[in-house]
Amino acid sequence: MANSSYAGLPGRLRASAPGWTTRSDVVVIGSGIAGLTAALRVHAALNSRTDDGSANQGATVLVVTKTVLNAGSTQWAQGGIAAALGPGDTPEQHEHDTLVAGAGACDPDAVRALVTEGPDAVRELIALGTNFDHRDGVLSLTREGGHHRDRIAHAGGDATGAEIQRALIAAVEAAPEIEVIQHALAIDLLRSADGGVAGVTLHVIGEGQRDGVGAVHCRAVVLASGGLGQVFSQSTNPSVSTGDGMALAMRAGATLRDLEFVQFHPTVMYLGPDSRGQQPLISEAVRGEGAFLVDFEGNRFMQGQHELADLAPRDVVAKAITRRMHETDKPHMWLDARHLGAEFWEKRFPTILGVCRSHGVDPVNELIPVAPAHHFASGGVATDLHGRSSVAGLYATGEVACSGVHGANRLASNSLLEGLVFSRRIADVLPAELRAWAEPAPDEREAHLASADVRPAMQALMTDNVSVLRSEEGLSAALDALPELARTTGSEGVEAWEATNLLTIATALTTAALGRRETRGSHWREDFPDRDDDRWAGHFDARLEDGVVDVSFHPAPASDLTEGAIR
Ligand code: SIN
């Protein structure tokens, strides 16, 4: 129903013809919790003995990652991983909190799978060697925004992602039959005559035979390439989060869903108006341990706004901070965690303490300046309950995917869990449905590359018009300006491939945000300040057709609108 007025997004990225070719049954793109779990589980599943004579014995799995194995968002995750593991907690309570945070846009079946399979998935991560924090021999669990129970397992205090990443890399390194190619950007999918997966083109910065653009022929691709943070000028995401997997999937004909639901983390350390790129996150777990927000006059403005006050769901807190910033004409608010004390800070939040101090703020004695900034894409490549996209042989898991568990606003610490649970679910089905080897068909799609130089202008457009608070005027202004940036011409290379991917996703995201004329979860429209279940309970699907983003609205089935989901 909503079309971008744009006719310049490429059907494929301009790139040299492949100078080398290799083969692997399955290619996993990305090396965070979702990618490495998928690689380990898919490899094990393919090679396990089956009653019908182990048809897939010897099947190979190749992991490709844009820079190095631990460069993605998993490494940076602070708070932890949510699962109903504590006394008195149940999957039903976790389900309830997830649905409420998701503001009526979750897929209830996906949420059910997440919360019921989550505890075992975390136990398996522990069995794999992940050292979660314990107190008196018992797994230590904390609370974050939107959770009514302590259910966040953490490691190294506030270094949960780094510890999970370490354990998964060790497991992959102990499985030499899983091949890894680092410094490999996935450019485009190769498709067979039936439109399904036949391979993927890569650009590798390597030495020897696999250097430059090459092709990997394969029978399935698992996308686990993370999010799109670099669409905005400031994000908690690392520099590698350039929406590559989402854009690749769109060019291959896949449907993307819920792109307008971009999560802005309420407490990102404010480093000044000119700060760009990855910004320091102050985990919600700091508020979970008792920190609270204050304005410049020391007022605790979250009190009375929500029953959970400073621990309200993330969208509620981000909106309250933004409102207070506007009301008081200030560029940020403050987080007060002084009362936690030096000893507690050093033990529980050593990473955040170090980062704050490196920026000249000592949270033991001083308030931390905080403001909302981009944090997470709740939408992505639309998948079913087993990670299947709408393209045969293409699966997606983790932040690149829209499995339906996050709805309009992801519940804190459900993202690592999503990657874990849905990668396991892909491994459950992939061996039985592995496609036959197929030759890539000639690719007639129009190739183009935008100039890498347009990236700061695109980020400024998106930050000014498509951030926490949106309006028809701002969204239209962004959609009017994006095509001119995309029509520029760039030279082949990582910077231009990334810029073109970012422009593709920025256009789709903005088109969906313009279409959703209501406020729901993290999508906040100042011109449509209320949630409208009669008109907008459902999803925006985005597809790329002949260079144009086509976004269509699909009402949710009535069965999805359970009481919990629409509360
Ligand atoms: C945080 O630690 O506040 C972020 C955790 C998350 O995004 O789930």
Side-chain angles (χ1 to χ4, degrees):
M1 59 158 293
N3 267 354
S4 69
S5 57
Y6 180 60
L9 292 169
R12 66 190 164 93
L13 296 180
R14 180 156 51 74
S16 306
W20 53 269
T21 305
T22 188
R23 276 162 84 90
S24 180
D25 291 275
V26 178
V27 177
V28 177
I29 300 174
S31 57
I33 188 169
L36 296 187
T37 302
L40 289 163
R41 296 283 296 210
V42 167
H43 184 268
L46 282 169
N47 287 281
S48 66
R49 297 227 153 256
T50 57
D51 294 343
D52 62 4
S54 316
N56 292 312
Q57 285 292 321
T60 52
V61 173
L62 167 66
V63 177
V64 299
T65 190
K66 191 156 70 168
T67 61
V68 291
L69 282 173
N70 66 355
S73 292
T74 296
Q75 178 75 17
W76 294 93
Q78 294 177 348
I81 186 163
L85 291 161
D89 200 3
T90 60
E92 286 71 29
Q93 294 175 63
H94 188 187
E95 178 182 32
H96 173 266
D97 289 346
T98 301
L99 291 171
V100 170
C106 296
D107 174 341
D109 294 332
V111 173
R112 186 118 269 273
L114 180 83
V115 300
T116 53
E117 295 168 27
D120 272 352
V122 174
R123 282 185 205 106
E124 191 180 274
L125 213 45
I126 294 170
L128 194 79
T130 312
N131 294 311
F132 284 104
D133 295 334
H134 286 70
R135 196 176 298 147
D136 302 328
V138 177
L139 186 66
S140 184
L141 298 169
T142 191
R143 200 174 289 213
E144 290 185 59
H147 291 272
H148 284 82
R149 288 267 179 191
D150 292 350
R151 64 166 74 96
I152 320 289
H154 47 87
D158 56 4
T160 313
E163 170 57 14
I164 292 174
Q165 187 78 65
R166 181 204 61 73
L168 285 168
I169 290 175
V172 167
E173 284 175 351
E177 61 283 9
I178 298 177
E179 194 190 347
V180 175
I181 306 183
Q182 301 188 91
H183 302 288
L185 171 75
I187 299 173
D188 267 310
L189 216 58
L190 295 167
R191 289 176 301 162
S192 54
D194 67 359
V197 166
V200 60
T201 51
L202 300 180
H203 176 264
V204 179
I205 303 170
E207 284 172 8
Q209 288 184 330
R210 289 185 193 158
D211 186 24
V213 177
V216 185
H217 293 183
C218 64
R219 301 160 71 190
V221 167
V222 180
L223 273 180
S225 48
L228 49 72
Q230 300 310 318
V231 157
F232 296 94
S233 303
Q234 295 97 15
S235 168
T236 60
N237 293 182
S239 61
V240 292
S241 299
T242 52
D244 305 324
M246 293 184 199
L248 169 148
M250 266 195 115
R251 288 191 295 271
T255 300
L256 273 65
R257 179 165 300 157
D258 287 350
L259 285 177
E260 70 275 29
F261 296 133
V262 174
Q263 185 166 75
F264 297 88
H265 197 288
T267 54
V268 178
M269 190 174 184
Y270 179 74
L271 299 180
D274 300 326
S275 183
R276 297 282 177 270
Q278 188 176 11
Q279 309 291 306
L281 176 68
I282 311 295
S283 174
E284 247 174 34
V286 180
R287 274 175 284 134
E289 300 289 358
F292 52 85
L293 288 154
V294 291
D295 64 16
F296 276 69
E297 302 200 322
N299 300 310
R300 292 189 62 176
F301 58 90
M302 282 313 300
Q303 288 187 334
Q305 301 245 2
H306 189 277
E307 45 141 351
L308 293 172
D310 291 89
L311 279 178
R314 210 165 265 183
D315 60 317
V316 175
V317 183
K319 284 174 188 153
I321 293 177
T322 306
R323 268 194 215 104
R324 200 58 151 200
M325 282 163 48
H326 288 178
E327 280 160 15
T328 56
D329 199 21
K330 299 289 184 198
H332 64 85
M333 289 288 122
W334 301 100
L335 187 68
D336 191 344
R338 294 173 295 185
H339 58 290
L340 301 184
E343 198 185 326
F344 188 82
W345 261 107
E346 275 154 24
K347 185 153 185 295
R348 182 67 180 84
F349 299 118
T351 314
I352 301 171
L353 180 65
V355 170
C356 286
R357 285 179 171 163
S358 75
H359 287 288
V361 175
D362 187 347
V364 175
N365 306 308
E366 293 173 282
L367 302 178
I368 308 169
V370 290
H374 168 273
H375 183 58
F376 187 82
S378 296
V381 179
T383 60
D384 69 6
L385 293 176
H386 289 281
R388 301 178 187 98
S389 76
S390 54
V391 172
L394 179 65
Y395 302 79
T397 169
E399 190 173 354
V400 72
C402 179
S403 66
V405 298
H406 305 312
N409 178 46
R410 174 173 65 83
L411 184 67
S413 287
N414 267 356
S415 52
L416 293 174
L417 190 68
E418 180 197 28
L420 196 58
V421 166
F422 284 86
S423 292
R424 289 158 47 112
R425 292 191 136 243
I426 289 173
D428 289 346
V429 298
L430 191 147
E433 56 195 43
L434 199 56
R435 286 161 56 79
W437 286 101
E439 275 305 305
D443 198 335
E444 310 294 345
R445 296 173 293 172
E446 186 199 348
H448 180 67
L449 263 191
S451 165
D453 298 343
V454 303
R455 188 161 158 165
M458 179 218 57
Q459 290 172 324
L461 262 184
M462 297 298 288
T463 303
D464 291 347
N465 299 297
V466 198
S467 276
V468 187
L469 184 56
R470 301 165 174 178
S471 69
E472 175 126 9
E473 195 187 347
L475 294 165
S476 301
L479 265 187
D480 285 347
L482 285 168
E484 200 179 318
L485 303 181
R487 274 195 289 267
T488 56
T489 301
S491 326
E492 186 175 324
V494 172
E495 289 80 12
W497 287 318
E498 286 184 345
T500 311
N501 287 336
L502 286 166
L503 283 160
T504 301
I505 295 308
T507 305
L509 192 170
T510 309
T511 310
L514 183 62
R516 186 173 283 283
R517 306 180 86 183
E518 64 159 354
T519 289
R520 180 183 296 270
S522 57
H523 174 67
W524 184 16
R525 290 279 301 252
E526 66 181 337
D527 42 354
F528 297 98
D530 299 319
R531 179 168 146 178
D532 182 354
D533 279 329
D534 291 337
R535 178 67 187 88
W536 297 114
H539 303 279
F540 278 96
D541 284 354
R543 290 171 55 86
L544 187 61
E545 312 262 8
D546 300 326
V548 178
V549 171
D550 179 65
V551 171
S552 53
F553 181 72
H554 302 271
S559 58
D560 280 11
L561 301 177
T562 62
E563 199 175 319
I566 60 169
R567 249 177 58 162

